[in-house]
């Protein structure tokens, strides 16, 4: 009878760091901030390392450390995930769901097209208004300069 033993020590530094991270996550954002402040007191480089990890690795400005992971897993729904979701076994419901998703996508495409037309018309109205104001100022400026007249040898539009 042979018994196998692991030659590597169970756990290790990565396991210890993960447990520490999980413990700090369970305590909340203030535990991480406390760790960062203590890191600055001990050694500024340690504090900077914790701060960098908080900013780029933990997204400290999210709701809270412990709830963030659960939140991202629960609400990771998008169109593709809903479309490729496993069937429920109820064909009537599955066909209704597929039809509803198709209809919603069509409505969304129509709404986005409407918004694009709205933006285009708004831009056109603003541009037309600008051109009318410019024409009015040119006419008003031309009326005040009527006595001066154009210089000899210049074409219209030249300065």
């Amino acid at each position: 009878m042979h018994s196998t033993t692991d030659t590597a020590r169970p756990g290790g530094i990565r396991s210890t760091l993960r447990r520490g991270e999980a413990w700090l996550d369970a305590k909340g954002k203030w535990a991480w901030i406390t760790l960062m402040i203590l890191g600055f007191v001990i050694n500024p480089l340690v504090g900077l390392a914790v701060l960098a990890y908080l900013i780029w690795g933990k997204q400290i400005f999210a709701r809270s450390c412990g709830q963030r992971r659960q939140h991202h897993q629960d609400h990771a729904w998008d169109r593709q995930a809903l479309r490729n979701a496993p069937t429920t076994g109820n064909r009537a419901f599955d066909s209704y769901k597929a039809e509803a998703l198709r209809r919603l996508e069509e409505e969304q495409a129509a709404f986005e097209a409407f918004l694009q037309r709205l933006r285009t018309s708004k831009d056109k109205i603003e541009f037309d208004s600008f051109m009318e104001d410019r024409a009015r100022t040119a006419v008003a400026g031309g009326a005040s300069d009527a006595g001066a007249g154009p210089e000899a040898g210049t074409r219209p539009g030249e300065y």
Side-chain angles (χ1 to χ4, degrees):
M1 189 167 189
H2 294 277
S3 65
T4 59
T5 60
D6 292 332
T7 56
R9 189 171 43 131
I13 188 73
R14 287 187 182 187
S15 173
T16 304
L17 291 176
R18 285 189 186 125
R19 281 187 309 208
E21 178 186 11
W23 182 80
L24 286 168
D25 282 348
K27 298 295 180 188
K29 187 186 319 185
W30 293 108
W32 282 101
I33 292 172
T34 304
L35 177 68
M36 180 187 60
I37 292 171
L38 287 175
F40 275 114
V41 168
I42 294 170
N43 185 350
L45 294 177
V46 173
L48 284 175
V50 173
L51 178 63
Y53 180 71
L54 289 174
I55 291 174
W56 288 291
K58 299 295 293 175
Q59 300 176 358
I60 189 157
F61 302 111
R63 289 183 304 149
S64 73
C65 298
Q67 294 175 352
R68 183 181 56 255
R69 287 189 184 137
Q70 184 70 23
H71 177 72
H72 284 305
Q73 291 170 356
D74 290 345
H75 298 293
W77 295 3
D78 58 356
R79 273 189 229 155
Q80 201 64 24
L82 288 173
R83 185 174 296 281
N84 295 333
T87 62
T88 60
N90 185 339
R91 287 185 185 178
F93 176 74
D94 289 340
S95 64
Y96 168 77
K97 181 177 82 169
E99 178 62 26
L101 286 174
R102 184 195 58 75
R103 183 179 45 82
L104 287 172
E105 287 175 357
E106 288 175 359
E107 287 178 7
Q108 182 177 5
F111 183 69
E112 288 173 356
F114 167 74
L115 287 178
Q116 186 60 39
R117 287 192 312 270
L118 187 65
R119 287 185 197 111
T120 303
S121 66
K122 182 181 175 187
D123 290 345
K124 184 175 177 358
I125 290 170
E126 288 177 359
F127 179 73
D128 290 343
S129 174
F130 168 75
M131 291 303 287
E132 288 173 5
D133 289 345
R134 185 172 178 212
R136 275 191 226 116
T137 57
V139 169
S144 64
D145 293 337
E151 295 178 15
T154 60
R155 294 183 294 180
E158 282 187 349
Y159 296 101

